[in-house]
Amino acid sequence: MEDASRRTLDSGRAGVILAGGRSRRFEGTDKATALIDGEPMIHRVASALDPVVDELVVNCRADQRASFAEALSAFEVRFAEDDCPGCGPVFGLRTALLGTTAEYVAVLPCDMPLVPSVFLDHLFGRVGGRPGLVPCHDGVRCPFPSVVHRRAGIVACTETIRAGSNRLTDVLSTLEAATLAEREVCAHAGVRAFHNVNTRDELRAVAARL
Ligand SMILES: Nc1nc2c(ncn2[C@@H]2O[C@H](COP(=O)(O)OP(=O)(O)OP(=O)(O)O)[C@@H](O)[C@H]2O)c(=O)[nH]1
Ligand SMILES: [Mg+2]
């Protein structure tokens, strides 16, 4: 694995993969490294982000790092390890945002393996100086995939934690992120993009849609 600091930073874009969860519903193993058509799920997510960002940051616990480094050995990756393991995804997002200097960050969880690069690029292109942009899907604002202004995102995470919440949707509300309209989401993301994997059945369903 190459040193991430050697990359030339010029687009101001980073990709964050949130992977510090316990995969409880996946029963026994870490869903991030579960295989889809022979490929670790987190590798698929990194493959979507990598073409549209300068650097990749993976948030996880220290005990996950070795297996993730192996799964992601094809990429330059910076790890942002949780200093509060199991404290929830808002802590994880804050840690990840502190792990890059990019102006804007695309945020994906390790369990959305079907988001296309072209949609992530579209989100970056449409954020347009705003604090964040989240897609509308099935009538609701989805926290993933989203694009967040890094410094504004750190402030929003801190305020959300201070307010006693650990919900990513509260971060996006605090951030006053804009919404990408559903028709535009459908046009650029396609119908499969929003599938996420919590259980082994959902993994099988996603694999069947490849
Ligand atoms: N850093 C960190 N990330 C988390 C934590 N909990 C969830 N996440 C991440 O947030 C995203 C969405 O969470 P879930 O889909 O619930 O994943 P999970 O918590 O691993 O799975 P379950 O244990 O089945 O709820 C995933 O990318 C997780 O890795 C946490 O306590 N810390
Ligand atoms: Mg969870």
Side-chain angles (χ1 to χ4, degrees), residues 170-184:
D170 289 337
V171 174
L172 296 167
S173 302
T174 304
L175 187 62
E176 297 183 4
T179 306
L180 192 67
E182 185 134 19
R183 64 181 178 285
E184 196 170 334

Side-chain angles (χ1 to χ4, degrees), residues 80-123:
E81 284 181 18
D82 280 339
D83 51 13
C84 185
C87 284
V90 179
F91 276 86
L93 176 58
R94 187 172 183 279
T95 301
L97 295 176
L98 288 167
T100 174
T101 57
E103 186 179 15
Y104 278 97
V105 176
V107 183
L108 269 176
C110 62
D111 63 2
M112 287 182 79
L114 301 181
V115 176
S117 296
V118 66
F119 184 60
L120 298 167
D121 199 40
H122 188 72
L123 285 172

Side-chain angles (χ1 to χ4, degrees), residues 166-210:
N166 208 354
R167 289 159 46 98
L168 290 166
T169 48
D170 289 337
V171 174
L172 296 167
S173 302
T174 304
L175 187 62
E176 297 183 4
T179 306
L180 192 67
E182 185 134 19
R183 64 181 178 285
E184 196 170 334
V185 172
C186 290
H188 292 271
V191 289
R192 308 182 316 166
F194 287 84
H195 288 295
N196 84 313
V197 173
N198 291 304
T199 65
R200 290 180 188 278
D201 281 348
E202 284 168 351
L203 185 77
R204 279 188 281 274
V206 161
R209 286 186 172 90
L210 290 179

Side-chain angles (χ1 to χ4, degrees), residues 11-139:
S11 72
R13 298 174 174 185
V16 153
I17 303 175
L18 297 181
R22 299 272 180 191
S23 303
R24 289 180 188 86
R25 285 166 285 176
F26 208 70
E27 294 167 7
T29 56
D30 197 322
K31 62 183 173 180
T33 48
L35 299 181
I36 299 179
D37 200 23
E39 182 181 5
M41 187 152 59
I42 195 168
H43 186 282
R44 289 191 71 94
V45 175
S47 296
L49 283 165
D50 193 56
V52 299
V53 298
D54 293 323
E55 62 178 353
L56 289 174
V57 179
V58 174
N59 165 247
C60 63
R61 302 183 311 276
D63 61 277
Q64 296 171 294
R65 183 168 171 162
S67 65
F68 289 0
E70 188 182 343
L72 297 172
S73 61
F75 302 96
E76 294 175 24
V77 174
R78 178 172 294 157
F79 284 94
E81 284 181 18
D82 280 339
D83 51 13
C84 185
C87 284
V90 179
F91 276 86
L93 176 58
R94 187 172 183 279
T95 301
L97 295 176
L98 288 167
T100 174
T101 57
E103 186 179 15
Y104 278 97
V105 176
V107 183
L108 269 176
C110 62
D111 63 2
M112 287 182 79
L114 301 181
V115 176
S117 296
V118 66
F119 184 60
L120 298 167
D121 199 40
H122 188 72
L123 285 172
F124 276 121
R126 291 283 278 120
V127 69
R130 292 175 289 190
L133 183 63
V134 298
C136 184
H137 173 64
D138 278 348

